[in-house]
Amino acid sequence: MSEPGALRMRLQGLFREVAKFGAVGAVGVLVDLGVFNLVRHFSDLPVVRASVIATVVAIAFNYVGFRYFTYRDRDKSSRTKEMALFLVFSLVGLVIQNGLLYAATYGFGWDTPLQSNFFKFFGIGVATLFRFWSYRTWVFRALPAKEAVQTAESFLEQAPRQADRRQPDRV
């Protein structure tokens, strides 16, 4: 394949990945903001505590979406390691996201519902950049090309055997 063709394929793959990540993330943002506003409305919790609860709920939702939609074709050999890394990077994202909200609320005194939602949303945006990079680089790693080729070859080797089993013997 020519270099421009290979580059185009890589860019198309990256675009699909970003689109899927964005789709899961968009629903995750709705979950995060929805839980945040419900907790704020129905409890007396301080704004940042309500935000942390909402972020944790969104992290759980997002893991399922990323594992089974965005990155379903990625390496699944070590789920324990994957989940541990996901939690570590998600916690860093939680600190980024809620740190911005904390600074706005307690540093500048911006605590109206509109201001809280704005800085919650802004924090989600900043943390999302970090999460996208860390998840694709460390958590949902692409299968190495050699393993992908071996998997495809083993699939192709099994296909004729299965076809032979389905064919009745001709006399």
Side-chain angles (χ1 to χ4, degrees), residues 1-2 26 41 44 50 59 67 84 88 95 99 104 114 123 128 133 139 144-145 155 159 164 166 169:
M1 179 176 292
S2 68
H41 184 72
D44 293 330
I59 287 170
R67 166 44 49 218
V88 166
V95 170
L114 179 63
T128 295
W133 169 80
V139 180
F155 173 77
D164 289 341
R166 284 186 241 139
D169 291 332

Side-chain angles (χ1 to χ4, degrees), residues 40-62:
R40 290 252 4 237
H41 184 72
F42 291 110
S43 77
D44 293 330
L45 285 176
V47 66
V48 176
R49 286 188 191 158
S51 179
V52 168
I53 290 168
T55 303
V56 169
V57 171
I59 287 170
F61 172 84
N62 286 345

Side-chain angles (χ1 to χ4, degrees), residues 101 104-105 109-121:
L101 180 62
T105 303
W110 296 328
D111 193 22
T112 68
L114 179 63
Q115 291 167 330
S116 295
N117 277 289
F118 173 80
F119 284 101
K120 172 94 173 135
F121 187 76

Side-chain angles (χ1 to χ4, degrees), residues 12-159:
Q12 286 173 345
L14 181 62
F15 177 76
R16 278 192 300 275
E17 180 182 348
V18 169
K20 287 180 176 183
F21 188 92
V24 171
V27 176
V29 167
L30 294 176
V31 168
D32 199 337
L33 291 172
V35 171
F36 173 66
N37 284 294
L38 285 172
V39 171
R40 290 252 4 237
H41 184 72
F42 291 110
S43 77
D44 293 330
L45 285 176
V47 66
V48 176
R49 286 188 191 158
S51 179
V52 168
I53 290 168
T55 303
V56 169
V57 171
I59 287 170
F61 172 84
N62 286 345
Y63 177 77
V64 173
F66 291 143
R67 166 44 49 218
Y68 297 104
F69 178 67
T70 305
Y71 297 113
R72 70 175 174 253
D73 60 335
R74 299 288 176 98
D75 186 11
K76 298 177 182 94
S77 63
S78 180
R79 285 286 170 96
T80 305
K81 180 180 174 184
E82 174 185 289
M83 290 180 88
L85 287 170
F86 183 83
L87 286 175
V88 166
F89 290 118
S90 293
L91 289 175
V92 172
L94 180 144
V95 170
I96 293 168
Q97 175 179 329
N98 292 293
L100 290 169
L101 180 62
Y102 180 90
T105 303
Y106 300 109
F108 296 100
W110 296 328
D111 193 22
T112 68
L114 179 63
Q115 291 167 330
S116 295
N117 277 289
F118 173 80
F119 284 101
K120 172 94 173 135
F121 187 76
F122 180 70
I124 290 170
V126 173
T128 295
L129 297 173
F130 168 77
R131 287 177 177 134
F132 178 73
W133 169 80
S134 63
Y135 293 166
R136 79 181 309 262
T137 303
W138 300 102
V139 180
F140 301 107
R141 299 185 63 141
L143 287 169
K146 182 179 177 183
E147 288 181 26
V149 169
Q150 288 173 345
T151 303
E153 287 175 347
S154 68
F155 173 77
L156 292 173
E157 289 173 7
Q158 291 175 359

